[in-house]
Amino acid sequence: MKKFTTTALAVCMAAGLSTGAAAQEKTEFKVAWSIYVGWMPWGYLEDSGIMDKWADQYGIDVEIVQINDYIESINQYTAGQFDGVTATSMDTLSIPSGGGVDTTALIVGDYSNGNDAVIVKGGGDLASLAGKPVNLVELSVSHYLLARGLDSVGLSEADLDGVINTSDADMIAAYATDDVEAVVTWNPLVSEILNGPDATSVFDSSDIPGEIIDLMVVNTEVLDANPDFGKALVGAWYEVMALMAAGDEEVLTAMAEASGTDLAGYQAQLASTEMFYTPADAVTFTSSEDLPDTMVNVAEFLFDKGILGEGAPSADFVGVEYPDGSVTGDENNVQFRFDTTYIQMAADGAL
């Protein structure tokens, strides 16, 4: 991961993305997304034509591209291949922001409230992880969830028989092998694994509510130069949120099938997701006093793992700015911004 950060930073600097060079006005944009219950609307936006409708309203074109490997999608965004990407707040801080790409959380879509889980094969509890290997997407929110869980029972990663880096695309197959004793992953993978035999969830994100936050993030310089890009994305997103909140079965079924489940299965996943169906709810959460505390905890975890930017001297290395203008971390190195400008416009009916 540190090797990637260095490489990505070099690529971004060569492209003028992290050197202060102003991004240019343009009319064509690309955003990437990966399979997760709270991000399925992005696929529906592309397939249904809703994204095209909103893009046409602003005289632009927005292409929404599915990437099967979550971390790879963020890597490609960081390297400048996309203008935006679906990512958690933690992975945004560690990869693009830690790599010098100024990034804005345009849409705070949800927080995981049970969708991410530590699963043990054959039963047990958190304490039973001692001496076992654990498969997960290393240095992702799964790693963070595991650390928080272990800490709650007086254990640490040193008490395990190591963590084994496993792509989300390979997690189901890995769990089916005899060698794998425990995994940490997210939905829809969690639901599929728990539906099988001998799988027990011993800790999940509902135990740390509001800490695993799911976003659509965009390049800050691109957004600043092209505000219509932000307006189109936000307008399209909340049109679909309204359909979901109303229980539109056609819409929900399309998302369910795209994620490899049925309507009941997808609704079960939504039940463990604190979706912000209205822009007002997203503004309230993003403006809360709890968010800076959460991001400080995340930064400390990342620094402890050595992935808060190449050569980061402390957990304060990257500055994170909040809607009221306050900053945690280094005020002279703000690379991650929670900005409610566009979702507030949606709340005000100004899009």
Side-chain angles (χ1 to χ4, degrees):
M1 182 63 69
K2 290 204 292 186
K3 180 178 179 181
F4 165 75
T5 300
T6 304
T7 303
L9 179 57
V11 171
C12 295
M13 290 182 68
L17 294 175
S18 60
T19 60
Q24 299 297 310
E25 292 184 16
K26 59 180 186 176
T27 59
E28 296 182 356
F29 305 88
K30 290 174 62 177
V31 300
W33 72 284
S34 55
I35 295 287
Y36 167 69
V37 54
W39 293 331
M40 298 312 298
W42 291 109
Y44 183 78
L45 280 169
E46 178 75 3
D47 295 340
S48 66
I50 290 176
M51 186 70 257
D52 288 340
K53 182 186 75 172
W54 279 87
D56 289 345
Q57 177 177 322
Y58 289 100
I60 62 175
D61 179 77
V62 178
E63 182 182 0
I64 301 175
V65 180
Q66 180 184 338
I67 304 294
N68 290 330
D69 186 299
Y70 166 63
I71 293 297
E72 178 60 21
S73 70
I74 305 175
N75 289 349
Q76 290 188 29
Y77 160 77
T78 305
Q81 295 176 37
F82 291 94
D83 301 298
V85 68
T86 54
T88 67
S89 52
M90 191 193 90
D91 295 325
T92 299
L93 182 59
S94 67
I95 304 178
S97 296
V101 179
D102 195 326
T103 296
T104 293
L106 179 69
I107 298 170
V108 179
D110 70 86
Y111 67 77
S112 177
N113 200 28
N115 272 317
D116 297 75
V118 181
I119 301 172
V120 175
K121 186 181 291 183
D125 54 20
L126 270 172
S128 71
L129 290 176
K132 293 182 178 179
V134 178
N135 291 65
L136 47 72
V137 178
E138 194 173 9
L139 309 178
S140 72
V141 291
S142 293
H143 209 152
Y144 176 77
L145 180 69
L146 176 65
R148 296 284 277 118
L150 291 173
D151 184 64
S152 72
V153 293
L155 297 176
S156 71
E157 193 174 320
D159 295 305
L160 307 176
D161 186 22
V163 296
I164 300 172
N165 189 31
T166 307
S167 166
D168 51 316
D170 298 328
M171 193 67 69
I172 298 295
Y175 187 80
T177 66
D178 293 336
D179 294 337
V180 173
E181 300 183 59
V183 300
V184 190
T185 189
W186 51 80
N187 265 324
L189 307 179
V190 166
S191 294
E192 186 168 345
I193 291 171
L194 290 177
N195 282 336
D198 299 326
T200 302
S201 174
V202 296
F203 190 80
D204 65 45
S205 51
S206 67
D207 296 306
I208 52 169
E211 293 192 31
I212 297 179
I213 308 166
D214 303 306
L215 313 168
M216 167 56 75
V217 302
V218 298
N219 183 288
T220 300
E221 293 177 351
V222 171
L223 179 65
D224 288 348
N226 302 275
D228 285 346
F229 170 50
K231 293 176 184 177
L233 281 180
V234 171
W237 175 261
Y238 284 111
E239 179 173 334
V240 174
M241 287 300 100
L243 295 172
M244 293 177 68
D248 189 310
E249 289 196 4
E250 181 180 348
V251 173
L252 293 171
T253 298
M255 295 182 195
E257 292 175 351
S259 64
T261 187
D262 57 15
L263 178 59
Y266 186 60
Q267 288 175 325
Q269 293 175 32
L270 284 173
S272 56
T273 311
E274 189 63 32
M275 294 291 298
F276 300 124
Y277 289 112
T278 70
D281 286 344
V283 169
T284 297
F285 177 82
T286 309
S287 303
S288 73
E289 295 179 355
D290 294 332
L291 182 57
D293 290 339
T294 295
M295 293 307 300
V296 167
N297 289 337
V298 168
E300 289 174 348
F301 168 80
L302 294 172
F303 178 69
D304 181 62
K305 296 298 179 185
I307 54 170
L308 187 62
E310 186 71 18
S314 73
D316 293 329
F317 175 63
V318 178
V320 182
E321 186 177 68
Y322 305 94
D324 63 359
S326 63
V327 174
T328 56
D330 188 350
E331 293 184 354
N332 296 314
N333 186 36
V334 174
Q335 299 289 347
F336 190 5
R337 306 167 195 271
F338 286 93
D339 186 350
T340 57
T341 298
Y342 293 87
I343 52 177
Q344 186 63 61
M345 291 175 69
D348 294 339
L351 294 177

